[in-house]
Amino acid sequence: MIHIEKLRKARDYEAQYGAFIRAEERPAFHLTPRVGWMNDPNGFCFYRGRYHLFYQYHPYSTQWGPMHWGHAVSRDLLHWEHLPAALAPDQRYDRDGCFSGSALTLGDGRHLLMYTGTRNVPREDGTKTTVQTQCLAFGDGENYIKYEQNPVLGEADVPEGFSIHDFRDPKIGRRPDGGFACIVGNRSDDESGAILLFESEDAIHWRFRSILERCGNEYGKMWECPDLFELDGRHVLLVSPQDMCQAGLEFHNGNGTVCLIGGFDEKTGKFERDRVQAVDYGIDFYAPQTILTPDGRRVMIGWMQNWDTCIAPEGSKWFGQMSLPRELSLRNGRLIQVPVRELEQLRGRRVHYENVPVRAETVLQGVNGRLLDMTVTVRPQTADAYRVFCVRFARDSRHHSSVSYRPDSSTVRISRVHAGYNRDFVHERKCFAADRGGELKLRIILDRFSAEVFVNDGEQVLSMTFYTPQTADGVCFEAQGSAVIDVEKYDLMA
Ligand code: FRU
């Protein structure tokens, strides 16, 4: 009885307090929690005709707390409808949190959630540690019942040399032979990230298969939220490492997102990596999860936030949002991301300019807004070719955010230094873009509290959130030296 109570309490709370949040207080097409706090996407799937997206959820405050699973559904990946919370931390094995996990449709039509149960236990010296196990819940797309023999993967299933304390975020999938596989994030004894592979015939009884991949301290200490899938004839492994060390402009310190491109060897159960790159080069992106859509697209969604910069604006009733869903492909050995094509259906008024010379600050009539999809192509003027080109947005006399490009180093910089934050944390980030003699294409998507910048048709993406007042809706262009730009801008409809 007491168990159902915890979920009921969360459902009552979110129904009551979620209703106080007006639509304009949220992004228009990025998912936010019904109320309170959100982190990782969980259980992203297509089930019974709709996309389902669950999320790490603490309804009672805008800070992380005992993790529940929030739940939303959508037909187009952009308009989300909140459903009642799906899981609450109400069992012995998950009493300190229902951590991240994934979903799958079983042969009999039931919906299966696989998640990490977390419980804190005392050590001999009186301090506390955490034990993490993998658990199941069965449901119908709205109500879920936890499997009575949870956990299905426990301490005894973790191979020697790997951690029972950092053992989380199962991503479940089908094997080609009809069975099931799941990969789970781990920290190995050398204090570095690793992924464990497990197999099952019925999705209930699991056994350890192999160490899928480990990084020997090259990419962070603990690999969270893994995903593994086929893409354009290769295999891609996504992981979100904690405690990364900076490596040039590819990886920054702290929590990062890493994409390993290579091959999965079915015989050995190992991943052979060829290339490694960051997933998102901006400030806010973590723990992405992917699905294969019914029409065969690999679509990824991430938590558009970073652990080290989680400061909710004063008075906000929600904190944390998902990224745009992005279609993935491989081009020249790199991961390419573009906004899902459904976004084009939200396009309203179009404004188009060609061959506009830019030197000093340039404002173009009709180019403004906080809900927009804008593509800017910049080229150098032969005489006095530009040294820096900059697009400013979410702008008024006191605020702006920006994306800028320096052709001499071929670097793109995203900045929210002047977005209105008065706290000292990360406000800028840079990455390399392909050097095309000063030509660059930027697709900038704004949705009230965020910007996602797709560089050169998705070769790099930089995402960031900001809470600048909505009245700051100006856009301007500026070059040091001479540039020529084309601009195609659509208002996006809420
Ligand atoms: C990643 C993460 C996961 C964990 C969850 C807890 O952001 O740390 O590893 O399951 O968040 O909320």
Side-chain angles (χ1 to χ4, degrees):
M1 243 334 147
I2 196 154
H3 300 152
I4 305 166
E5 277 316 305
K6 228 175 180 176
L7 185 60
R8 187 176 295 153
K9 185 175 156 227
R11 287 179 164 195
D12 287 348
Y13 184 90
E14 63 180 4
Q16 185 180 353
Y17 292 97
F20 293 144
I21 307 178
R22 286 176 290 119
E24 321 81 72
E25 292 178 73
R26 301 179 185 271
F29 49 91
H30 287 75
L31 180 66
T32 46
R34 191 160 175 187
V35 62
W37 164 275
M38 160 195 277
N39 58 288
D40 315 354
N42 293 160
F44 188 22
C45 63
F46 188 80
Y47 180 66
R48 293 191 179 157
R50 295 190 294 186
Y51 294 102
H52 289 247
L53 187 55
F54 302 82
Y55 51 90
Q56 288 287 278
Y57 185 33
H58 184 235
Y60 305 112
S61 82
T62 52
Q63 286 175 15
W64 191 85
M67 281 291 107
H68 296 56
W69 275 37
H71 189 186
V73 287
S74 172
R75 292 198 189 273
D76 64 0
L77 292 162
L78 298 169
H79 295 97
W80 293 97
E81 178 198 332
H82 286 116
L83 290 187
L87 300 176
D90 53 16
Q91 304 289 326
R92 188 186 43 81
Y93 51 82
D94 64 14
R95 63 181 178 226
D96 292 300
C98 297
F99 277 18
S100 286
S102 50
L104 184 124
T105 306
L106 293 169
D108 60 9
R110 281 179 306 162
H111 204 211
L112 175 70
L113 307 181
M114 190 170 194
Y115 69 98
T116 298
T118 293
R119 66 181 203 278
N120 298 332
V121 293
R123 285 201 190 90
E124 272 170 17
D125 65 4
T127 59
K128 276 197 169 174
T129 184
T130 293
V131 173
Q132 299 187 322
T133 59
Q134 315 318 318
C135 306
L136 302 177
F138 298 89
D140 61 0
E142 181 149 350
N143 295 303
Y144 293 84
I145 294 179
K146 292 177 183 169
Y147 179 49
E148 68 250 349
Q149 285 177 52
N150 274 341
V152 293
L153 278 171
E155 294 162 51
D157 300 295
V158 176
E160 218 185 298
F162 292 84
S163 174
I164 59 164
H165 310 293
D166 285 299
F167 176 42
R168 57 181 176 269
D169 312 336
K171 180 80 203 300
I172 187 172
R174 279 192 191 275
R175 289 202 318 252
D177 66 3
F180 300 88
C182 92
I183 55 174
V184 186
N186 203 275
R187 179 195 292 259
S188 52
D189 275 0
D190 63 358
E191 286 292 308
S192 74
I195 302 296
L196 307 179
L197 172 62
F198 297 86
E199 286 184 346
S200 168
E201 264 68 66
D202 56 6
I204 293 171
H205 302 93
W206 293 88
R207 59 179 179 276
F208 172 72
R209 164 89 200 277
S210 57
I211 294 148
L212 178 76
E213 176 62 300
R214 59 193 302 176
C215 77
N217 263 306
E218 207 179 343
Y219 306 107
K221 299 263 168 233
M222 160 67 199
W223 277 3
E224 301 189 308
C225 301
D227 198 353
L228 175 67
F229 49 90
E230 261 186 77
L231 191 67
D232 296 335
R234 306 306 324 274
H235 283 96
V236 171
L237 175 63
L238 300 179
V239 295
S240 293
Q242 294 179 317
D243 308 310
M244 295 267 287
C245 292
Q246 185 191 336
L249 295 186
E250 194 61 32
F251 300 112
H252 55 78
N253 293 328
N255 290 74
T257 47
V258 175
C259 167
L260 302 103
I261 302 170
F264 171 63
D265 185 337
E266 192 58 59
K267 276 195 227 85
T268 59
K270 300 215 175 284
F271 187 86
E272 307 289 342
R273 68 175 105 129
D274 299 331
R275 303 275 293 256
V276 182
Q277 65 165 95
V279 180
D280 191 299
Y281 295 86
I283 304 171
D284 296 308
F285 192 83
Y286 198 63
Q289 212 173 66
T290 73
I291 53 164
L292 195 60
T293 59
D295 60 2
R297 291 174 288 160
R298 180 58 61 177
V299 170
M300 175 182 77
I301 212 160
W303 178 41
M304 192 158 48
Q305 192 54 58
N306 192 310
W307 279 110
D308 285 330
T309 59
C310 289
I311 298 180
E314 233 179 83
S316 74
K317 303 177 196 100
W318 60 268
F319 185 70
Q321 57 179 301
M322 294 301 166
S323 72
L324 261 182
R326 302 167 183 180
E327 291 178 20
L328 303 184
S329 59
L330 295 181
R331 196 162 68 225
N332 301 328
R334 282 191 63 84
L335 182 73
I336 304 296
Q337 305 168 53
V338 293
V340 277
R341 59 197 67 167
E342 284 83 347
L343 189 66
E344 285 154 37
Q345 290 158 17
L346 304 194
R347 284 175 170 179
R349 192 168 69 107
R350 173 177 185 262
V351 178
H352 189 207
Y353 289 89
E354 265 179 19
N355 291 318
V356 181
V358 174
R359 258 184 167 281
E361 202 173 279
T362 305
V363 173
L364 299 176
Q365 212 195 347
V367 178
N368 65 322
R370 290 288 287 273
L371 270 168
L372 57 82
D373 179 352
M374 176 169 71
T375 301
V376 182
T377 311
V378 57
R379 298 179 290 281
Q381 280 274 39
T382 27
D384 187 26
Y386 73 92
R387 294 168 294 285
V388 187
F389 170 72
C390 181
V391 185
R392 301 210 171 95
F393 46 85
R395 173 173 179 261
D396 62 13
S397 55
R398 292 178 49 219
H399 307 99
H400 66 260
S401 290
S402 65
V403 50
S404 53
Y405 180 59
R406 280 183 175 273
D408 59 348
S409 54
S410 203
T411 49
V412 178
R413 177 196 298 262
I414 195 163
S415 168
R416 61 182 180 194
V417 170
H418 301 289
Y421 285 105
N422 51 6
R423 299 290 297 268
D424 182 21
F425 56 79
V426 179
H427 295 299
E428 280 193 315
R429 206 150 260 153
K430 278 197 289 190
C431 72
F432 288 115
D435 180 359
R436 295 180 183 162
E439 279 214 34
L440 187 85
K441 189 170 167 189
L442 300 170
R443 184 169 172 198
I444 302 170
I445 314 286
L446 302 186
D447 183 5
R448 294 193 178 126
F449 306 101
S450 66
E452 284 159 285
V453 180
F454 296 80
V455 181
N456 289 334
D457 298 305
E459 286 176 6
Q460 289 79 24
V461 188
L462 301 99
S463 308
M464 67 176 179
T465 57
F466 48 85
Y467 298 91
T468 314
Q470 296 301 310
T471 45
D473 69 348
V475 173
C476 75
F477 308 91
E478 193 178 327
Q480 282 172 29
S482 301
V484 174
I485 60 171
D486 301 334
V487 178
E488 184 181 37
K489 177 238 146 182
Y490 294 88
D491 291 325
L492 292 174
M493 311 202 291

